[in-house]
Amino acid sequence: MIRRPPRSTLSSSSAASDVYKRQDPESICMVLMAVDGGDESTIPSIYSISDNYPNPFNPSTEMEFTLPMESDISFTVYSLTGKEMYSFNQSAVSGGTYKITWNGKSQNGKSLPSGVYLYEFRAGNEFRQVKKMTLLK
């Protein structure tokens, strides 16, 4: 069984089958979008996450990831000192290809300063990857 977010946070797009949004006090910090691959039966065979693009970025950046099966996912942004700046979690995301768009804001909706940040993507207990990105103002 696939669990979906409440209807108030689920919308559709011509470029995607589902869009999941998490709201912060000022604006949308994170958008998770299923990429329409044309053939609904095509499920990736491996877990992966791309480098963010653009990099460096201002004001937002995106990454694409793949899930070979339904997984709980988390996306966390850290400063180089290891402080958690932003975190997004979604349970029971169906296997497929998705795009994450992040707007460079902290969990409480404040714009982060220019600098190098680490992003960590996890899919269940099966996959974990950390990559570097640069925010320029």
Side-chain angles (χ1 to χ4, degrees):
M1 172 182 280
I2 299 173
R3 292 177 289 163
R4 300 257 184 219
R7 180 150 307 284
S8 63
T9 62
L10 185 63
S11 63
S12 63
S13 165
S14 60
S17 57
D18 292 332
V19 176
Y20 300 91
K21 298 178 182 177
R22 174 173 277 196
Q23 301 257 346
D24 69 19
E26 297 176 23
S27 67
I28 297 170
C29 263
M30 170 68 69
V31 176
L32 173 62
M33 182 183 300
V35 176
D36 184 7
D39 181 4
E40 302 248 344
S41 65
T42 305
I43 301 291
S45 59
I46 61 169
Y47 290 97
S48 69
I49 186 161
S50 68
D51 293 336
N52 66 301
Y53 182 83
N55 192 21
F57 70 96
N58 180 13
S60 65
T61 190
E62 57 187 42
M63 308 84 178
E64 192 169 284
F65 68 91
T66 61
L67 301 174
M69 66 180 86
E70 183 178 286
S71 302
D72 297 341
I73 64 161
S74 70
F75 174 81
T76 308
V77 176
Y78 298 96
S79 69
L80 285 180
T81 61
K83 181 179 178 187
E84 184 177 300
M85 308 305 287
Y86 181 79
S87 182
F88 173 83
N89 299 292
Q90 180 73 46
S91 298
V93 177
S94 300
T97 301
Y98 296 85
K99 189 177 288 187
I100 295 173
T101 303
W102 178 61
N103 68 0
K105 292 187 177 186
S106 67
Q107 199 69 40
N108 61 6
K110 296 189 178 176
S111 292
L112 294 177
S114 293
V116 176
Y117 294 89
L118 302 174
Y119 64 95
E120 176 186 52
F121 177 76
R122 289 180 183 256
N125 294 322
E126 294 82 20
F127 182 79
R128 174 185 175 265
Q129 192 160 22
V130 178
K131 295 191 174 199
K132 217 173 16 171
M133 62 183 164
T134 303
L135 172 61
L136 289 180
K137 298 277 177 149

PDB file of all heavy atoms in Angstrom, residues 50-77:
ATOM      1  N   SER A  50      21.844  12.701  -7.825  1.00  0.00           N
ATOM      2  CA  SER A  50      22.747  13.455  -8.684  1.00  0.00           C
ATOM      3  C   SER A  50      23.416  14.588  -7.911  1.00  0.00           C
ATOM      4  O   SER A  50      23.006  14.928  -6.799  1.00  0.00           O
ATOM      5  CB  SER A  50      21.965  14.053  -9.860  1.00  0.00           C
ATOM      6  OG  SER A  50      21.082  15.064  -9.393  1.00  0.00           O
ATOM      7  N   ASP A  51      24.434  15.173  -8.523  1.00  0.00           N
ATOM      8  CA  ASP A  51      24.984  16.417  -8.002  1.00  0.00           C
ATOM      9  C   ASP A  51      23.901  17.480  -8.143  1.00  0.00           C
ATOM     10  O   ASP A  51      23.050  17.398  -9.037  1.00  0.00           O
ATOM     11  CB  ASP A  51      26.216  16.835  -8.796  1.00  0.00           C
ATOM     12  CG  ASP A  51      27.392  15.890  -8.605  1.00  0.00           C
ATOM     13  OD1 ASP A  51      27.439  15.200  -7.569  1.00  0.00           O
ATOM     14  OD2 ASP A  51      28.251  15.830  -9.500  1.00  0.00           O
ATOM     15  N   ASN A  52      23.937  18.482  -7.277  1.00  0.00           N
ATOM     16  CA  ASN A  52      22.951  19.553  -7.402  1.00  0.00           C
ATOM     17  C   ASN A  52      23.275  20.421  -8.614  1.00  0.00           C
ATOM     18  O   ASN A  52      24.422  20.519  -9.043  1.00  0.00           O
ATOM     19  CB  ASN A  52      22.877  20.399  -6.121  1.00  0.00           C
ATOM     20  CG  ASN A  52      24.141  21.167  -5.842  1.00  0.00           C
ATOM     21  OD1 ASN A  52      25.207  20.582  -5.688  1.00  0.00           O
ATOM     22  ND2 ASN A  52      24.021  22.489  -5.768  1.00  0.00           N
ATOM     23  N   TYR A  53      22.226  21.016  -9.182  1.00  0.00           N
ATOM     24  CA  TYR A  53      22.385  21.885 -10.334  1.00  0.00           C
ATOM     25  C   TYR A  53      21.453  23.065 -10.190  1.00  0.00           C
ATOM     26  O   TYR A  53      20.285  22.859  -9.875  1.00  0.00           O
ATOM     27  CB  TYR A  53      22.098  21.135 -11.632  1.00  0.00           C
ATOM     28  CG  TYR A  53      22.298  22.025 -12.833  1.00  0.00           C
ATOM     29  CD1 TYR A  53      23.567  22.223 -13.356  1.00  0.00           C
ATOM     30  CD2 TYR A  53      21.237  22.704 -13.405  1.00  0.00           C
ATOM     31  CE1 TYR A  53      23.769  23.066 -14.439  1.00  0.00           C
ATOM     32  CE2 TYR A  53      21.428  23.549 -14.488  1.00  0.00           C
ATOM     33  CZ  TYR A  53      22.690  23.730 -14.999  1.00  0.00           C
ATOM     34  OH  TYR A  53      22.896  24.565 -16.053  1.00  0.00           O
ATOM     35  N   PRO A  54      21.855  24.273 -10.386  1.00  0.00           N
ATOM     36  CA  PRO A  54      23.241  24.651 -10.638  1.00  0.00           C
ATOM     37  C   PRO A  54      24.071  24.593  -9.365  1.00  0.00           C
ATOM     38  O   PRO A  54      23.530  24.597  -8.261  1.00  0.00           O
ATOM     39  CB  PRO A  54      23.123  26.093 -11.136  1.00  0.00           C
ATOM     40  CG  PRO A  54      21.874  26.610 -10.507  1.00  0.00           C
ATOM     41  CD  PRO A  54      20.956  25.434 -10.391  1.00  0.00           C
ATOM     42  N   ASN A  55      25.364  24.565  -9.523  1.00  0.00           N
ATOM     43  CA  ASN A  55      26.285  24.597  -8.397  1.00  0.00           C
ATOM     44  C   ASN A  55      27.529  25.357  -8.833  1.00  0.00           C
ATOM     45  O   ASN A  55      28.224  24.876  -9.717  1.00  0.00           O
ATOM     46  CB  ASN A  55      26.667  23.188  -7.965  1.00  0.00           C
ATOM     47  CG  ASN A  55      27.391  23.167  -6.637  1.00  0.00           C
ATOM     48  OD1 ASN A  55      27.305  24.091  -5.852  1.00  0.00           O
ATOM     49  ND2 ASN A  55      28.121  22.091  -6.398  1.00  0.00           N
ATOM     50  N   PRO A  56      27.789  26.531  -8.281  1.00  0.00           N
ATOM     51  CA  PRO A  56      27.092  27.220  -7.191  1.00  0.00           C
ATOM     52  C   PRO A  56      25.680  27.647  -7.608  1.00  0.00           C
ATOM     53  O   PRO A  56      25.383  27.735  -8.789  1.00  0.00           O
ATOM     54  CB  PRO A  56      27.958  28.437  -6.906  1.00  0.00           C
ATOM     55  CG  PRO A  56      29.139  28.373  -7.803  1.00  0.00           C
ATOM     56  CD  PRO A  56      28.966  27.242  -8.732  1.00  0.00           C
ATOM     57  N   PHE A  57      24.856  27.932  -6.579  1.00  0.00           N
ATOM     58  CA  PHE A  57      23.472  28.296  -6.842  1.00  0.00           C
ATOM     59  C   PHE A  57      23.045  29.525  -6.058  1.00  0.00           C
ATOM     60  O   PHE A  57      23.630  29.889  -5.063  1.00  0.00           O
ATOM     61  CB  PHE A  57      22.532  27.131  -6.521  1.00  0.00           C
ATOM     62  CG  PHE A  57      22.397  26.820  -5.054  1.00  0.00           C
ATOM     63  CD1 PHE A  57      21.343  27.337  -4.326  1.00  0.00           C
ATOM     64  CD2 PHE A  57      23.311  26.006  -4.410  1.00  0.00           C
ATOM     65  CE1 PHE A  57      21.207  27.049  -2.978  1.00  0.00           C
ATOM     66  CE2 PHE A  57      23.181  25.713  -3.065  1.00  0.00           C
ATOM     67  CZ  PHE A  57      22.124  26.230  -2.342  1.00  0.00           C
ATOM     68  N   ASN A  58      22.014  30.165  -6.569  1.00  0.00           N
ATOM     69  CA  ASN A  58      21.328  31.279  -5.917  1.00  0.00           C
ATOM     70  C   ASN A  58      20.073  31.558  -6.720  1.00  0.00           C
ATOM     71  O   ASN A  58      20.179  31.849  -7.909  1.00  0.00           O
ATOM     72  CB  ASN A  58      22.205  32.522  -5.863  1.00  0.00           C
ATOM     73  CG  ASN A  58      21.502  33.687  -5.187  1.00  0.00           C
ATOM     74  OD1 ASN A  58      20.482  33.515  -4.556  1.00  0.00           O
ATOM     75  ND2 ASN A  58      22.050  34.870  -5.350  1.00  0.00           N
ATOM     76  N   PRO A  59      18.908  31.494  -6.238  1.00  0.00           N
ATOM     77  CA  PRO A  59      18.539  31.221  -4.856  1.00  0.00           C
ATOM     78  C   PRO A  59      18.163  29.761  -4.604  1.00  0.00           C
ATOM     79  O   PRO A  59      17.987  29.375  -3.464  1.00  0.00           O
ATOM     80  CB  PRO A  59      17.306  32.104  -4.667  1.00  0.00           C
ATOM     81  CG  PRO A  59      16.619  32.065  -5.991  1.00  0.00           C
ATOM     82  CD  PRO A  59      17.748  32.007  -6.996  1.00  0.00           C
ATOM     83  N   SER A  60      18.004  28.936  -5.663  1.00  0.00           N
ATOM     84  CA  SER A  60      17.604  27.549  -5.418  1.00  0.00           C
ATOM     85  C   SER A  60      18.416  26.600  -6.287  1.00  0.00           C
ATOM     86  O   SER A  60      19.060  26.993  -7.248  1.00  0.00           O
ATOM     87  CB  SER A  60      16.105  27.362  -5.691  1.00  0.00           C
ATOM     88  OG  SER A  60      15.825  27.562  -7.057  1.00  0.00           O
ATOM     89  N   THR A  61      18.362  25.322  -5.900  1.00  0.00           N
ATOM     90  CA  THR A  61      19.094  24.280  -6.608  1.00  0.00           C
ATOM     91  C   THR A  61      18.254  23.013  -6.614  1.00  0.00           C
ATOM     92  O   THR A  61      17.318  22.881  -5.827  1.00  0.00           O
ATOM     93  CB  THR A  61      20.474  24.046  -5.952  1.00  0.00           C
ATOM     94  OG1 THR A  61      21.251  23.189  -6.788  1.00  0.00           O
ATOM     95  CG2 THR A  61      20.351  23.453  -4.562  1.00  0.00           C
ATOM     96  N   GLU A  62      18.580  22.098  -7.507  1.00  0.00           N
ATOM     97  CA  GLU A  62      17.819  20.844  -7.549  1.00  0.00           C
ATOM     98  C   GLU A  62      18.734  19.654  -7.765  1.00  0.00           C
ATOM     99  O   GLU A  62      19.836  19.780  -8.287  1.00  0.00           O
ATOM    100  CB  GLU A  62      16.716  20.894  -8.594  1.00  0.00           C
ATOM    101  CG  GLU A  62      17.160  21.199  -9.989  1.00  0.00           C
ATOM    102  CD  GLU A  62      15.981  21.391 -10.938  1.00  0.00           C
ATOM    103  OE1 GLU A  62      14.983  22.033 -10.567  1.00  0.00           O
ATOM    104  OE2 GLU A  62      16.084  20.884 -12.059  1.00  0.00           O
ATOM    105  N   MET A  63      18.237  18.510  -7.305  1.00  0.00           N
ATOM    106  CA  MET A  63      18.924  17.238  -7.441  1.00  0.00           C
ATOM    107  C   MET A  63      17.898  16.210  -7.892  1.00  0.00           C
ATOM    108  O   MET A  63      16.742  16.300  -7.530  1.00  0.00           O
ATOM    109  CB  MET A  63      19.491  16.741  -6.104  1.00  0.00           C
ATOM    110  CG  MET A  63      20.343  17.695  -5.333  1.00  0.00           C
ATOM    111  SD  MET A  63      19.291  18.766  -4.359  1.00  0.00           S
ATOM    112  CE  MET A  63      20.497  19.719  -3.520  1.00  0.00           C
ATOM    113  N   GLU A  64      18.336  15.232  -8.651  1.00  0.00           N
ATOM    114  CA  GLU A  64      17.450  14.151  -9.061  1.00  0.00           C
ATOM    115  C   GLU A  64      17.904  12.884  -8.349  1.00  0.00           C
ATOM    116  O   GLU A  64      19.104  12.655  -8.199  1.00  0.00           O
ATOM    117  CB  GLU A  64      17.523  13.981 -10.577  1.00  0.00           C
ATOM    118  CG  GLU A  64      16.429  13.083 -11.123  1.00  0.00           C
ATOM    119  CD  GLU A  64      16.360  13.142 -12.636  1.00  0.00           C
ATOM    120  OE1 GLU A  64      15.850  14.136 -13.180  1.00  0.00           O
ATOM    121  OE2 GLU A  64      16.831  12.169 -13.257  1.00  0.00           O
ATOM    122  N   PHE A  65      16.940  12.085  -7.893  1.00  0.00           N
ATOM    123  CA  PHE A  65      17.302  10.822  -7.258  1.00  0.00           C
ATOM    124  C   PHE A  65      16.404   9.712  -7.757  1.00  0.00           C
ATOM    125  O   PHE A  65      15.318   9.956  -8.290  1.00  0.00           O
ATOM    126  CB  PHE A  65      17.270  10.924  -5.724  1.00  0.00           C
ATOM    127  CG  PHE A  65      15.907  11.105  -5.116  1.00  0.00           C
ATOM    128  CD1 PHE A  65      15.145  10.011  -4.732  1.00  0.00           C
ATOM    129  CD2 PHE A  65      15.391  12.376  -4.907  1.00  0.00           C
ATOM    130  CE1 PHE A  65      13.898  10.179  -4.151  1.00  0.00           C
ATOM    131  CE2 PHE A  65      14.150  12.552  -4.333  1.00  0.00           C
ATOM    132  CZ  PHE A  65      13.394  11.457  -3.952  1.00  0.00           C
ATOM    133  N   THR A  66      16.890   8.474  -7.615  1.00  0.00           N
ATOM    134  CA  THR A  66      16.130   7.306  -8.040  1.00  0.00           C
ATOM    135  C   THR A  66      15.968   6.333  -6.882  1.00  0.00           C
ATOM    136  O   THR A  66      16.853   6.195  -6.035  1.00  0.00           O
ATOM    137  CB  THR A  66      16.828   6.577  -9.211  1.00  0.00           C
ATOM    138  OG1 THR A  66      18.115   6.127  -8.786  1.00  0.00           O
ATOM    139  CG2 THR A  66      16.979   7.485 -10.424  1.00  0.00           C
ATOM    140  N   LEU A  67      14.814   5.693  -6.872  1.00  0.00           N
ATOM    141  CA  LEU A  67      14.495   4.668  -5.875  1.00  0.00           C
ATOM    142  C   LEU A  67      14.037   3.419  -6.614  1.00  0.00           C
ATOM    143  O   LEU A  67      13.079   3.476  -7.381  1.00  0.00           O
ATOM    144  CB  LEU A  67      13.351   5.137  -4.960  1.00  0.00           C
ATOM    145  CG  LEU A  67      13.548   6.413  -4.167  1.00  0.00           C
ATOM    146  CD1 LEU A  67      12.246   6.785  -3.447  1.00  0.00           C
ATOM    147  CD2 LEU A  67      14.677   6.256  -3.177  1.00  0.00           C
ATOM    148  N   PRO A  68      14.673   2.261  -6.386  1.00  0.00           N
ATOM    149  CA  PRO A  68      14.223   1.041  -7.048  1.00  0.00           C
ATOM    150  C   PRO A  68      12.992   0.413  -6.386  1.00  0.00           C
ATOM    151  O   PRO A  68      12.376  -0.477  -6.970  1.00  0.00           O
ATOM    152  CB  PRO A  68      15.434   0.118  -6.939  1.00  0.00           C
ATOM    153  CG  PRO A  68      16.159   0.596  -5.732  1.00  0.00           C
ATOM    154  CD  PRO A  68      15.922   2.072  -5.659  1.00  0.00           C
ATOM    155  N   MET A  69      12.656   0.877  -5.190  1.00  0.00           N
ATOM    156  CA  MET A  69      11.484   0.348  -4.478  1.00  0.00           C
ATOM    157  C   MET A  69      10.970   1.412  -3.519  1.00  0.00           C
ATOM    158  O   MET A  69      11.631   2.421  -3.279  1.00  0.00           O
ATOM    159  CB  MET A  69      11.854  -0.906  -3.686  1.00  0.00           C
ATOM    160  CG  MET A  69      12.832  -0.636  -2.550  1.00  0.00           C
ATOM    161  SD  MET A  69      13.273  -2.093  -1.602  1.00  0.00           S
ATOM    162  CE  MET A  69      14.613  -2.715  -2.589  1.00  0.00           C
ATOM    163  N   GLU A  70       9.781   1.211  -2.989  1.00  0.00           N
ATOM    164  CA  GLU A  70       9.220   2.150  -2.015  1.00  0.00           C
ATOM    165  C   GLU A  70      10.172   2.304  -0.836  1.00  0.00           C
ATOM    166  O   GLU A  70      10.665   1.317  -0.301  1.00  0.00           O
ATOM    167  CB  GLU A  70       7.865   1.653  -1.532  1.00  0.00           C
ATOM    168  CG  GLU A  70       7.183   2.617  -0.582  1.00  0.00           C
ATOM    169  CD  GLU A  70       5.818   2.123  -0.166  1.00  0.00           C
ATOM    170  OE1 GLU A  70       4.884   2.187  -0.990  1.00  0.00           O
ATOM    171  OE2 GLU A  70       5.686   1.668   0.991  1.00  0.00           O
ATOM    172  N   SER A  71      10.454   3.544  -0.472  1.00  0.00           N
ATOM    173  CA  SER A  71      11.417   3.814   0.600  1.00  0.00           C
ATOM    174  C   SER A  71      11.021   5.071   1.359  1.00  0.00           C
ATOM    175  O   SER A  71      10.406   5.979   0.800  1.00  0.00           O
ATOM    176  CB  SER A  71      12.815   4.052   0.027  1.00  0.00           C
ATOM    177  OG  SER A  71      13.272   2.967  -0.731  1.00  0.00           O
ATOM    178  N   ASP A  72      11.405   5.112   2.628  1.00  0.00           N
ATOM    179  CA  ASP A  72      11.347   6.357   3.396  1.00  0.00           C
ATOM    180  C   ASP A  72      12.591   7.140   3.010  1.00  0.00           C
ATOM    181  O   ASP A  72      13.683   6.571   2.941  1.00  0.00           O
ATOM    182  CB  ASP A  72      11.363   6.090   4.898  1.00  0.00           C
ATOM    183  CG  ASP A  72      10.155   5.301   5.371  1.00  0.00           C
ATOM    184  OD1 ASP A  72       9.143   5.254   4.649  1.00  0.00           O
ATOM    185  OD2 ASP A  72      10.235   4.717   6.463  1.00  0.00           O
ATOM    186  N   ILE A  73      12.436   8.431   2.732  1.00  0.00           N
ATOM    187  CA  ILE A  73      13.600   9.222   2.333  1.00  0.00           C
ATOM    188  C   ILE A  73      13.830  10.368   3.312  1.00  0.00           C
ATOM    189  O   ILE A  73      12.911  10.816   3.985  1.00  0.00           O
ATOM    190  CB  ILE A  73      13.462   9.788   0.906  1.00  0.00           C
ATOM    191  CG1 ILE A  73      12.298  10.780   0.813  1.00  0.00           C
ATOM    192  CG2 ILE A  73      13.343   8.671  -0.110  1.00  0.00           C
ATOM    193  CD1 ILE A  73      12.373  11.699  -0.374  1.00  0.00           C
ATOM    194  N   SER A  74      15.072  10.824   3.354  1.00  0.00           N
ATOM    195  CA  SER A  74      15.388  12.048   4.100  1.00  0.00           C
ATOM    196  C   SER A  74      16.440  12.813   3.320  1.00  0.00           C
ATOM    197  O   SER A  74      17.308  12.233   2.666  1.00  0.00           O
ATOM    198  CB  SER A  74      15.878  11.740   5.514  1.00  0.00           C
ATOM    199  OG  SER A  74      17.146  11.144   5.491  1.00  0.00           O
ATOM    200  N   PHE A  75      16.319  14.129   3.376  1.00  0.00           N
ATOM    201  CA  PHE A  75      17.253  15.053   2.743  1.00  0.00           C
ATOM    202  C   PHE A  75      17.637  16.063   3.813  1.00  0.00           C
ATOM    203  O   PHE A  75      16.766  16.735   4.365  1.00  0.00           O
ATOM    204  CB  PHE A  75      16.578  15.745   1.556  1.00  0.00           C
ATOM    205  CG  PHE A  75      17.416  16.829   0.934  1.00  0.00           C
ATOM    206  CD1 PHE A  75      18.418  16.519   0.032  1.00  0.00           C
ATOM    207  CD2 PHE A  75      17.198  18.157   1.251  1.00  0.00           C
ATOM    208  CE1 PHE A  75      19.180  17.517  -0.540  1.00  0.00           C
ATOM    209  CE2 PHE A  75      17.964  19.160   0.678  1.00  0.00           C
ATOM    210  CZ  PHE A  75      18.953  18.842  -0.220  1.00  0.00           C
ATOM    211  N   THR A  76      18.921  16.146   4.139  1.00  0.00           N
ATOM    212  CA  THR A  76      19.382  17.032   5.211  1.00  0.00           C
ATOM    213  C   THR A  76      20.544  17.870   4.707  1.00  0.00           C
ATOM    214  O   THR A  76      21.426  17.362   4.019  1.00  0.00           O
ATOM    215  CB  THR A  76      19.824  16.207   6.437  1.00  0.00           C
ATOM    216  OG1 THR A  76      18.777  15.303   6.797  1.00  0.00           O
ATOM    217  CG2 THR A  76      20.130  17.108   7.616  1.00  0.00           C
ATOM    218  N   VAL A  77      20.518  19.155   5.056  1.00  0.00           N
ATOM    219  CA  VAL A  77      21.592  20.079   4.697  1.00  0.00           C
ATOM    220  C   VAL A  77      22.347  20.434   5.971  1.00  0.00           C
ATOM    221  O   VAL A  77      21.737  20.762   6.997  1.00  0.00           O
ATOM    222  CB  VAL A  77      21.040  21.357   4.028  1.00  0.00           C
ATOM    223  CG1 VAL A  77      22.158  22.354   3.744  1.00  0.00           C
ATOM    224  CG2 VAL A  77      20.277  21.008   2.758  1.00  0.00           C
TER     225      VAL A  77
END
